Amino acid sequence: MRIEIPQLETDRLILRGPQLSDFDAIAAFFASDRSKFVGGPMSAEQAWRTLALEAGHWTLRGYGRWIVAERDTNAPVGNIGLWFPHGWPEPEIGWDLFEGFEGKGYATEAATAARSYAYDVLGWDTAISLVDPKNTASRKLAQRMGARHDGDFTHERFGTVQIWRHLPPGELVNGGMEAYA
């Protein structure tokens, strides 16, 4: 079974389905300490399984996380989108930003586009982001998007993480960039 993964575009980014050509970027991310909050660091073999998992989520759920690439260079900058694996409390907007692409607003831009897709196309009326309490950058991104801390969740592998609840569609202002409203 093959599913057609929609492509989203923002001013600076293209959100597209995962491809085999993304493996080197995924493997580099998961080999680095940057992946410590999402199951890494891990071997290339484990990163391969993670890439397959990301692609398979689209088939099983009908949505998933996109590979985010710079519009101008096509360089993969991260893996961002909609995520709801078994064991998660609710559908999530999740983000992994690759080395060298932080501080440019890419994660916020892509995560906001993903949330718009969830609300406008899939009809979601809420979403969460799960954030490790030590992951300051991820917490700040959730806050920039207007999410509010809404309790904690204990996962069998990741331990206790914070639930950051995104505003429902009717409460979003300024394109969902609440911190800038």
Side-chain angles (χ1 to χ4, degrees):
M1 180 158 98
R2 186 168 170 90
I3 185 168
E4 192 69 30
I5 298 174
Q7 181 170 294
L8 307 181
E9 296 186 18
T10 68
D11 289 342
R12 302 178 298 159
L13 304 170
I14 295 173
L15 287 70
R16 59 168 175 73
Q19 301 170 358
L20 184 57
S21 60
D22 299 317
F23 176 68
D24 288 342
I26 294 283
F29 170 75
F30 279 108
S32 77
D33 195 47
R34 288 185 69 78
S35 67
K36 67 184 174 191
F37 297 118
V38 292
M42 62 178 65
S43 70
E45 188 274 338
Q46 292 169 316
W48 170 263
R49 290 176 180 270
T50 299
L51 177 59
L53 173 91
E54 294 285 354
H57 191 281
W58 280 97
T59 299
L60 296 174
R61 292 281 191 199
Y63 57 84
R65 298 194 324 157
W66 291 269
I67 293 294
V68 179
E70 286 180 317
R71 183 187 287 271
D72 293 341
T73 67
N74 201 34
V77 304
N79 189 27
I80 297 172
L82 312 176
W83 188 239
F84 189 31
H86 179 78
W88 246 230
E90 298 177 48
E92 177 190 25
I93 302 165
W95 44 78
D96 302 332
L97 196 62
F98 300 160
E99 182 75 34
F101 295 100
E102 59 276 86
K104 299 180 181 188
Y106 286 166
T108 305
E109 190 173 325
T112 301
R115 182 177 60 192
S116 293
Y117 183 86
Y119 288 173
D120 299 341
V121 176
L122 299 178
W124 291 10
D125 58 7
T126 190
I128 63 169
S129 291
L130 297 178
V131 176
D132 185 291
K134 296 176 190 153
N135 191 339
T136 304
S138 193
R139 178 179 40 81
K140 287 180 178 179
L141 172 53
Q143 290 171 323
R144 272 194 304 278
M145 294 180 68
R148 303 289 183 250
H149 186 241
D150 190 25
D152 294 331
F153 168 71
T154 302
H155 185 267
E156 66 182 63
R157 197 168 57 143
F158 296 109
T160 300
V161 294
Q162 296 174 338
I163 298 171
W164 285 83
R165 176 141 336 259
H166 294 268
L167 293 172
E171 293 181 28
L172 293 175
V173 296
N174 193 27
M177 302 296 295
E178 308 326 306
Y180 304 115

